[in-house]
Amino acid sequence: MAQQIYGIVTADGKKNSGSGFSVSRDEEGKYSITWDNQFAQTPGVAATIVRLSDQWYPTDGVDVGNVTNAGCMVFTMKSNSYSEDRDFSIIAIGD
């Protein structure tokens, strides 16, 4: 049976909603995500910038990297040019 993890993280690295993961803000624009229960195989993961405050801009970006069956990294940026803390949503699905 597939495992589904989802949620919203605030710019300061706190979980706003969702389940199945924990998060920490490592440095500006860099967040470590750890799944509560490891996946049997590397899951598919997607993240998007969300607007929880007035700090959002249409040119903000987000990347997901270092995806493993235990977790991943999320990198947020302003105008795709430099790291900056941003609110984001995340979803991971897999076996």
Side-chain angles (χ1 to χ4, degrees):
M1 182 173 179
Q3 178 176 199
Q4 299 179 23
I5 294 171
Y6 59 90
I8 295 177
V9 175
T10 60
D12 60 357
K14 293 182 173 63
K15 189 183 336 183
N16 180 284
S17 65
S19 65
F21 71 99
S22 60
V23 60
S24 66
R25 180 186 170 276
D26 299 334
E27 58 189 63
E28 187 166 14
K30 182 180 177 184
Y31 306 85
S32 293
I33 309 291
T34 304
W35 317 132
D36 291 346
N37 297 303
Q38 289 192 15
F39 287 86
Q41 300 176 21
T42 304
V45 180
T48 58
I49 297 291
V50 297
R51 184 177 183 171
L52 298 179
S53 66
D54 291 334
Q55 52 118 33
W56 176 85
Y57 302 93
T59 55
D60 287 350
V62 62
D63 287 318
V64 177
N66 303 332
V67 178
T68 70
N69 63 341
C72 69
M73 300 297 299
V74 174
F75 305 92
T76 59
M77 62 210 80
K78 180 178 179 181
S79 303
N80 294 322
S81 60
Y82 58 91
S83 296
E84 191 162 309
D85 295 336
R86 290 290 183 254
D87 307 318
F88 63 92
S89 65
I90 188 162
I91 186 167
I93 300 174
D95 294 325

